[in-house]
Amino acid sequence: MRVEKVIYDGDPGHDDAMAIIMAAGDPHIDLLAVTTVAGNTTLENTIKNALMIMDLMKLDIPVVPGCAKPLLKKLQTAPMVHGQSGFEGPEHFVPLRQASKEHAADFLIRTFMESDGDINLVAAGPLTNIALAMTREPGICDKVKQIVFMGGGRYGNITGAAEFNFWVDPEAAKIVIDSKCKKVMFGWDLTEKAIVTPEAFTKISEIDSRLGRFVRDLIEFYALGPAKGTEILPTINDACCIAYLINPEIFETSDYFVDVVTTPGISYGMSVIDYYRMNTWDMSPQPNVTVAEELDLDLFWEIMLNAIEVFD
Ligand code: BDR
Ligand code: CA
């Protein structure tokens, strides 16, 4: 059986939690560590939230704190979606497990540089930690198997132009997109198709474990949507990256040239995707990113539900 080694960098966050559970619960993934970054909520909260998930799964892997703010911008979080704690819904508890003392950028550099080039980096928050690691050690890209990230997209979800992860730290997104690492992108327009269907929610509600109940309560809050009071079908964006590593055939992908707008203004943080392949006429550079475009939602949920059920 093919097993992919993964380091997960993110900002838990409701959908980050689901991505981490999918990675830890599926036999095709060897989850080595979780590094966290400020994004959906403060760095302090993302660490605590990641540790709570580790406690619920009884999983002893490093949880490594990274950057508390974006490279240049001031931090803007998403309490309207994830609540003040980033994890609104379930009852919180004090995690037994502790975060690592090392900084995420140092951890990423050390781990990748010592590796055989066989570790995937999944990035599902603002790309601050990864941009910092790449800036300090550009050789890291020779060692990262691929960066599979949730961010960008054909249209925005936080401004008309920009997706949240890119908008929080556009300069970091630009550094990562411009890097020579192999990149696979799960943008907003694709990941908003990864909805929690009523059937999936019913099945989650039937999972009688501490983790299952925690996930149910997370999703109940998440389904209130940004307007709180108008229920939505919430989207498990970040878990698409993990699902891809488990079974790439869940998705259709194509290679495109992608760039990021780093000029402050209406399109700050927007990803520009050369969908009509202007590179064919030498009007744009050659493709630099594999972009996911379609997903099989039934297969996605089969993997997600199996992973939650692994934990008692
Ligand atoms: C992304 O932003 C966050 O709200 C989610 O965790 C996801 O990574 C979606 O735009
Ligand atoms: Ca996230």
Side-chain angles (χ1 to χ4, degrees), residues 26-288:
D26 193 285
H28 296 90
I29 302 287
D30 179 8
L31 182 63
L32 303 180
V34 171
T35 56
T36 77
V37 65
N40 286 326
T41 183
T42 61
L43 178 69
E44 204 184 349
N45 286 339
T46 62
I47 299 164
K48 185 184 168 213
N49 297 346
L51 289 170
M52 279 197 280
I53 290 292
M54 295 304 150
D55 271 15
L56 290 165
M57 298 189 302
K58 303 189 186 83
L59 186 63
D60 289 310
I61 57 168
V63 171
V64 191
C67 296
K69 72 169 284 298
L71 296 181
L72 299 183
K73 278 177 78 182
K74 76 171 179 15
L75 176 64
Q76 284 156 294
T77 58
M80 62 291 194
V81 178
H82 300 278
Q84 281 302 334
S85 68
F87 242 26
E88 260 352 92
E91 200 170 314
H92 287 202
F93 56 91
V94 180
L96 296 173
R97 285 164 179 74
Q98 307 244 312
S100 304
K101 297 274 178 266
E102 197 176 11
H103 189 280
D106 294 330
F107 175 85
L108 292 172
I109 293 169
R110 183 175 59 76
T111 311
F112 279 104
M113 295 312 281
E114 285 172 3
S115 77
D116 295 329
D118 58 346
I119 306 174
N120 299 278
L121 179 53
V122 168
L127 290 157
T128 321
N129 291 340
I130 297 167
L132 183 60
M134 284 178 171
T135 306
R136 290 181 52 185
E137 177 47 273
I140 198 172
C141 275
D142 297 326
K143 291 292 201 155
V144 172
K145 184 170 177 188
Q146 57 186 336
I147 299 184
V148 182
F149 68 92
M150 191 283 138
R154 290 192 218 204
Y155 43 85
N157 65 345
I158 186 75
T159 70
E163 178 281 329
F164 182 77
N165 290 337
F166 273 31
W167 173 81
V168 170
D169 199 340
E171 288 74 23
K174 171 84 175 151
I175 289 170
V176 172
I177 291 287
D178 285 354
S179 76
K180 64 175 185 172
C181 285
K182 177 171 159 36
K183 296 165 286 277
V184 187
M185 169 168 160
F186 288 82
W188 173 255
D189 52 298
L190 177 276
T191 65
E192 75 163 348
K193 296 176 186 172
I195 52 171
V196 184
T197 59
E199 298 74 36
F201 184 70
T202 303
K203 285 186 182 150
I204 289 171
S205 306
E206 287 164 3
I207 300 176
D208 186 22
S209 66
R210 203 170 156 220
L211 180 70
R213 289 187 287 276
F214 197 89
V215 167
R216 179 202 61 205
D217 293 351
L218 279 175
I219 290 180
E220 249 173 14
F221 177 87
Y222 201 29
L224 297 176
K228 303 286 173 270
T230 48
E231 279 205 15
I232 59 162
L233 295 179
T235 55
I236 310 298
N237 311 284
D238 296 340
C240 290
C241 303
I242 302 291
Y244 173 76
L245 289 171
I246 293 167
N247 179 3
E249 287 176 13
I250 298 177
F251 301 91
E252 284 173 26
T253 62
S254 293
D255 294 348
Y256 297 104
F257 172 70
V258 180
D259 205 343
V260 185
V261 177
T262 51
T263 321
I266 194 154
S267 55
Y268 197 21
M270 173 182 167
S271 58
V272 178
I273 306 170
D274 179 23
Y275 272 107
Y276 289 108
R277 299 183 191 286
M278 302 303 174
N279 62 285
T280 318
W281 300 287
D282 292 333
M283 296 296 289
S284 71
Q286 292 302 309
N288 57 348

